[in-house]
Amino acid sequence: MIIDGMALLFRGFYATSYSGYIMKTSKGVPTNAIYGFVKYMQDAIRTFQPTHVLCCWDMGAKTFRNELFPAYKANRGEPPEELIPQFDLVKKVVDSFNIPNIGVEGYEADDCIGTIAKKYSDQLQIQILTGDRDTLQLVTEAVQPIIMKKGMSNYEVYTPEKLLEEKGLTPAQFIDLKGLMGDPSDNFPGVKGVGEKTAIKLLTQYESIAGILENLPNLSKGIRNKIETELDMLHLSRKLAEIHCEVPVEIELDKCIRNMEEEKIIAMLQELEFERLLKDGSFIEGLKVNVEPLV
C-alpha cells in the first residue's frame, strides 16, 4: 500500500476542525490533522491488510510543472496556520509506525507514487490510498487506487473494469480527458469551452487527443475552432495532467514490510496525548499483521 500522505493529512485536518476546535497538546502543539491521519491510515491497513506500506509526500510547493506553467496551482492559498507545524511532525509519526517516508524535490507525491507503482507492480499487487482521482490514470490489473470517500471505512477500489464502467474511459484516456477539460483545482485550463461531457464524447469516438486532432475536419465547427485556438494549451495541459513515472526515487522493499512495534507506536501516541486512541484497544490491534509478507 502506497499512502498519499498529503491527501490523508489534509483530510484529517478538515474532518477534525470543521467546528472550529483544533486539538492541541498541553504544550500548545496542534495535532488534529495528525489524529485524523493516523485514524485513516489504521483503518485502511486494518481493512486491506497490505504486506508492505510506504508513505509519499510533496516536497515543497514548486515542481517541474511550475517551470512548464508558472500559474500551476497558483490559485491555492496558504495552508491553515494550525496545519503548518503538523507537516514535519506527521513524518515523525509515520516513522514511529516503521513506515518509510518518501519524497523527491521537484516532483509531486503523485509522481513518486506512479514511479514506485510502475516499478514494483510486477512483484506485488499495489494499492494507492488517496482521495485524489488523478491516480486513476495509474490503474492496471496490478495497480489499484483506493479512493477515500466521505466518512471512515468508505472506499472505492478502482480496477480497469471499474474505471471503464464508471467513466467509459481507459486509464490512458483519463490523462487525455484532463488535457481537454483542464483541472480548476490545479489551475490549468485545457481547451476553453470543452467540458467533461464533450471531452468524454470526443475520446469515446476518437480514442485519444492524437485521434481527435487527426479528425479535426470531422468535428463540428464550434468544437474544431476551440481546439485549434487552444492547441498549444491542450498539449501543455495534457503534460501537466500526466503523472511522471520516471522519478529518481529508490526504495528498499524489505524496509517497507509491515513490521510495526507496539511500544514505539504507544510512545508516539503518548507524546501526542492521543488518550482516546491509547484507550482504544482495537486501534493497536488493527495494525497487527495477520498476513504473510511477500518479499
Side-chain angles (χ1 to χ4, degrees), residues 133 136 139-141 143-147 149 155-171 174:
R133 290 179 176 270
L136 297 183
V139 170
T140 67
E141 293 297 344
V143 179
Q144 299 178 351
I146 303 168
I147 302 296
K149 302 176 78 175
Y155 305 102
E156 196 83 66
V157 180
Y158 278 86
T159 61
E161 295 75 21
K162 169 74 174 174
L163 185 59
L164 192 62
E165 175 190 338
E166 184 176 291
K167 292 287 190 182
L169 300 174
T170 65
F174 197 77

Side-chain angles (χ1 to χ4, degrees), residues 104-115:
V104 178
E105 287 191 14
Y107 298 94
E108 296 182 38
D110 279 357
D111 300 316
C112 292
I113 290 169
T115 299

Side-chain angles (χ1 to χ4, degrees), residues 60-81:
K62 300 295 183 184
T63 69
F64 74 93
R65 292 180 178 86
N66 297 100
E67 296 176 10
L68 292 171
F69 186 55
Y72 182 73
K73 291 190 177 181
N75 56 332
R76 300 192 181 185
E78 292 296 316
E81 184 180 347

Side-chain angles (χ1 to χ4, degrees), residues 255-270:
K255 290 189 176 179
C256 300
I257 293 174
R258 186 149 64 94
N259 180 30
M260 299 180 191
E261 300 171 54
E262 187 170 335
E263 297 79 9
K264 285 177 68 174
I265 294 171
I266 289 174
M268 179 53 67
L269 296 181
Q270 288 173 336

